[in-house]
Amino acid sequence: MDLQGLCRLILLSALISFVCHPCSVTAGDIVHDDDLAPKKPGCENDFVLVKVQTWVNGIEDAEFVGVGARFGTTIVSKEKNANQRRLVLSDPRDCCSPPTNKLANDVIMVDRGHCKFTTKANNAQAAHASAVLIINNQTELYKMVCEPDETDLDIHIPTVMLPQDAGASLEKMLTSNLSVFVQLYSPKRPLVDIAEVFLWLMAVSTIVCASSWSAWSAREAAIEQDTLLKDALDEIPDTRHVGSGGILDINTTSAILFVVFASFFLVLLYKLMSYWFVELLVVLFCIGGVEGLQTCLVALLSRWFKRAGESYIKVPFFGAVSYLTLAVSPICITFSVVWAVYRNVSFAWIGQDILGIALIITVLQIVRVPNLKVGTVLLSCALLYDIFWVFGSKKLFHESVMIVVARGGKSGEDGIPMLLKIPRMFDPWGGYSIIGFGDILLPGLLIAFSLRYDWLANKSLGAGYFLWAMVAYGLGLLITYVALNLMDGHGQPALLYIVPFTLATFFTLGRKRGDLGVLWTRGEPDRPCPHIRLHHQHCDELNDEK
């Protein structure tokens, strides 16, 4: 591998480490470990997120999110069935002894600490409270469980924990002599949200578009090589690089090194994640998005403005640039800058997805898998990378490094920009369904290879590999979302399902059709002279390899 190829590999690995994140739903997930929260009689509720809607002096105000306890009654799921109750501040604040307040089915707010959660709930219940809001002493939520030797579990009121910042807001309302009422309910997520359907369509459509462009370019290069050979039978020119300028072919070595470099950059992201670092990633994403959007628009518009696309002018630092590129570049730069400035508004996800899809299509056009062997090694390494950094990293870092990075860590930002996202339109908890670029890019490299092979072999859609590879990818991604909903929105590595389905499709069909050897090694079908394969100049070289 030459120096330029190594540099490209490092940059690609950095990109994948930024973008290879699990599919997930971001809507206020709880930091917890279920294994440390066993069930027992009287303490067997499922942990659920709870909405706490407030009314101040009769006017609807802020809404907070808490988590229900293992003990106590379950919380209603429908807002219309939830009653508004007056909120009062406990005296004493920790409610470790019977409160002195006179309660009449009021909701009592207490501080965490100094005694068991069940003790607080029992004292509140004895004082005729209708529910207990326990304010955590940290900004995150905590699962309230029962001690192994707990016996006093006859609790018939719901208990909810709120984060520290929510408690501070409620306390400020109460100490200002305002009338505060609250309503507690725990709406259920829909089994399937329309956001996941659109995200699935976006991922599949992006791969289809990028694969078609890559296969078309490969076929054009092959036709150009054949034309040169027919016109110069006596003196055959060097056609090895015709139509392949700027193309990076991955080999097995670079596929293995990918895991090393990608892991290094992921840990770097994890350790350095902060506000300024996310801002740096936004700048890098904008640069890549501008390049991707410009490449896609120029390729599309050059069909109608062929002269502008083929006329060049020298630009300092950039060399020869087409007039069409000069016309398109300001539009792409403006679009990217506007997105960066307004990326926190509710509809900014549209601009992020446009830039992201353009970047993915461009990368799939530049980076190519030459055969099934390299594709298998790359996807297998990526699968191990995904599994370790989503699940295995918890052993070393006490949290999932991949999920922490995807959500922006402690940067205060809503995750890094290198992912596609769509708001969950019918989810009462809101949030976004997301998918990392890597879950599209990596399988897309192998799927694009299959379409190039089909077109060069003149295979029909049904007799080829592309259609069935796309079916396998779509099925794997669909199963990812099913698992995601069964896991109540916790991040799932999409490659865990996509890679086995995609590779199994290639190996099964290849073996059945007798093409497995060609797919595994050469990656291109036999073509009669003077039609030569993409990476060979003479027919004699082709015959020698056979």
Side-chain angles (χ1 to χ4, degrees):
M1 185 188 306
D2 58 14
L3 181 60
Q4 184 180 12
L6 180 62
C7 291
R8 284 183 172 181
L9 169 64
I10 295 174
L11 291 175
L12 178 63
S13 301
L15 173 65
I16 299 300
S17 68
F18 292 159
V19 304
C20 195
H21 299 299
C23 293
S24 67
V25 177
T26 56
D29 291 338
I30 310 167
V31 179
H32 61 78
D33 187 351
D34 281 339
D35 295 335
L36 300 179
K39 294 182 179 180
K40 59 184 296 185
C43 190
E44 52 191 358
N45 292 341
D46 291 328
F47 291 115
V48 294
L49 292 178
V50 180
K51 288 193 174 187
V52 180
Q53 179 64 57
T54 63
W55 281 264
V56 179
N57 291 338
I59 300 175
E60 187 172 346
D61 203 87
E63 180 183 85
F64 305 102
V65 176
V67 59
R70 271 278 197 241
F71 51 86
T73 56
T74 57
I75 299 169
V76 297
S77 60
K78 295 182 179 180
E79 183 179 5
K80 64 181 182 180
N81 296 332
N83 296 319
Q84 293 185 27
R85 300 293 184 185
R86 187 169 66 101
L87 180 66
V88 298
L89 197 59
S90 175
D91 183 18
R93 293 288 299 270
D94 57 16
C95 202
C96 289
S97 57
T100 59
N101 311 57
K102 291 184 178 181
L103 305 177
N105 284 330
D106 298 323
V107 177
I108 188 170
M109 187 172 80
V110 308
D111 291 340
R112 178 185 176 184
H114 304 130
C115 61
K116 299 177 182 178
F117 295 124
T118 52
T119 301
K120 299 175 187 290
N122 277 309
N123 287 334
Q125 179 176 264
H128 306 292
S130 62
V132 184
L133 295 183
I134 298 180
I135 307 304
N136 196 12
N137 51 17
Q138 299 177 11
T139 56
E140 63 187 25
L141 297 173
Y142 181 84
K143 285 192 167 183
M144 294 179 288
V145 299
C146 306
E147 297 293 337
D149 57 348
E150 290 274 1
T151 56
D152 193 7
L153 297 175
D154 189 23
I155 301 172
H156 302 290
I157 60 173
T159 303
V160 177
M161 173 167 284
L162 289 176
Q164 189 178 43
D165 54 350
S169 298
L170 290 173
E171 183 178 352
K172 183 177 180 181
M173 297 176 187
L174 293 172
T175 54
S176 300
N177 294 321
L178 299 176
S179 174
V180 181
F181 280 73
V182 295
Q183 183 184 46
L184 279 60
Y185 64 103
S186 179
K188 296 180 180 179
R189 279 197 172 104
L191 183 60
V192 177
D193 191 88
I194 193 66
E196 292 163 357
V197 177
F198 281 118
L199 202 61
W200 186 91
L201 290 173
M202 283 171 54
V204 171
S205 301
T206 299
I207 292 181
V208 170
C209 180
S211 299
S212 300
W213 187 7
S214 178
W216 178 83
S217 300
R219 187 166 62 178
E220 289 294 308
I223 293 173
E224 186 176 352
Q225 289 175 341
D226 291 349
T227 302
L228 289 173
L229 285 175
K230 290 177 181 179
D231 294 342
L233 293 178
D234 295 330
E235 185 178 352
I236 300 178
D238 185 1
T239 61
R240 285 172 292 183
H241 302 290
V242 173
S244 62
I247 301 299
L248 172 63
D249 277 332
I250 302 175
N251 55 33
T252 53
T253 302
S254 59
I256 296 173
L257 288 176
F258 149 77
V259 177
V260 178
F261 289 124
S263 297
F264 169 78
F265 284 110
L266 185 66
V267 173
L268 188 67
L269 273 174
Y270 176 72
K271 293 296 185 181
L272 298 180
M273 185 63 68
S274 60
Y275 174 79
W276 69 267
F277 200 76
V278 172
E279 293 296 311
L280 176 61
L281 294 182
V282 169
V283 172
L284 294 177
F285 173 74
C286 289
I287 294 173
V290 167
E291 179 64 26
L293 191 59
Q294 173 185 286
T295 301
C296 292
L297 288 178
V298 169
L300 183 64
L301 295 176
S302 61
R303 293 179 174 273
W304 292 280
F305 304 96
K306 191 172 183 180
R307 175 176 291 184
E310 295 177 349
S311 301
Y312 293 86
I313 184 175
K314 286 188 176 181
V315 178
F317 304 107
F318 295 98
V321 179
S322 70
Y323 285 101
L324 185 57
T325 301
L326 287 179
V328 168
S329 294
I331 299 174
C332 298
I333 294 173
T334 302
F335 183 88
S336 183
V337 170
V338 170
W339 171 82
V341 173
Y342 295 100
R343 69 182 185 277
N344 292 322
V345 300
S346 59
F347 53 85
W349 61 272
I350 300 174
Q352 180 174 327
D353 288 349
I354 292 174
L355 292 172
I357 289 173
L359 178 58
I360 292 172
I361 292 176
T362 301
V363 172
L364 288 176
Q365 171 65 14
I366 296 173
V367 182
R368 294 183 180 179
V369 168
N371 53 47
L372 181 58
K373 177 182 178 181
V374 174
T376 301
V377 173
L378 178 64
L379 287 184
S380 299
C381 290
L383 176 59
L384 295 175
Y385 168 88
D386 228 15
I387 292 175
F388 175 79
W389 289 111
V390 173
F391 300 117
S393 60
K394 294 180 181 178
K395 300 291 185 180
L396 298 177
F397 300 91
H398 307 293
E399 59 185 348
S400 175
V401 172
M402 186 83 80
I403 293 177
V404 170
V405 170
R407 294 176 178 173
K410 300 178 180 179
S411 64
E413 295 284 307
D414 186 21
I416 66 174
M418 285 80 168
L419 44 81
L420 301 184
K421 58 191 290 188
I422 295 181
R424 294 178 62 83
M425 305 170 190
F426 299 104
D427 190 335
W429 293 103
Y432 292 87
S433 290
I434 65 175
I435 182 173
F437 289 178
D439 296 326
I440 304 174
L441 271 173
L442 295 173
L445 289 171
L446 187 59
I447 295 173
F449 156 75
S450 70
L451 188 57
R452 291 197 301 270
Y453 181 90
D454 289 350
W455 282 17
L456 291 175
N458 294 319
K459 289 182 177 289
S460 64
L461 191 61
Y465 293 90
F466 172 74
L467 174 63
W468 306 112
M470 281 303 311
V471 170
Y473 174 82
L475 184 59
L477 190 58
L478 180 63
I479 293 176
T480 301
Y481 288 121
V482 172
L484 179 67
N485 284 293
L486 292 176
M487 296 285 288
D488 194 29
H490 295 292
Q492 291 290 299
L495 295 183
L496 180 63
Y497 309 98
I498 293 173
V499 170
F501 276 95
T502 305
L503 291 182
T505 299
F506 274 96
F507 281 102
T508 302
L509 291 179
R511 182 179 294 276
K512 182 178 180 180
R513 297 170 177 176
D515 296 335
L516 188 57
V518 177
L519 289 169
W520 184 260
T521 55
R522 296 202 302 269
E524 295 172 2
D526 294 328
R527 304 176 66 224
C529 295
H531 301 285
I532 61 173
R533 297 185 297 113
L534 289 177
H535 297 299
H536 294 274
Q537 180 179 359
H538 301 289
C539 295
D540 291 340
E541 295 174 350
L542 174 59
N543 295 330
D544 290 341
E545 287 202 358
K546 292 181 180 179

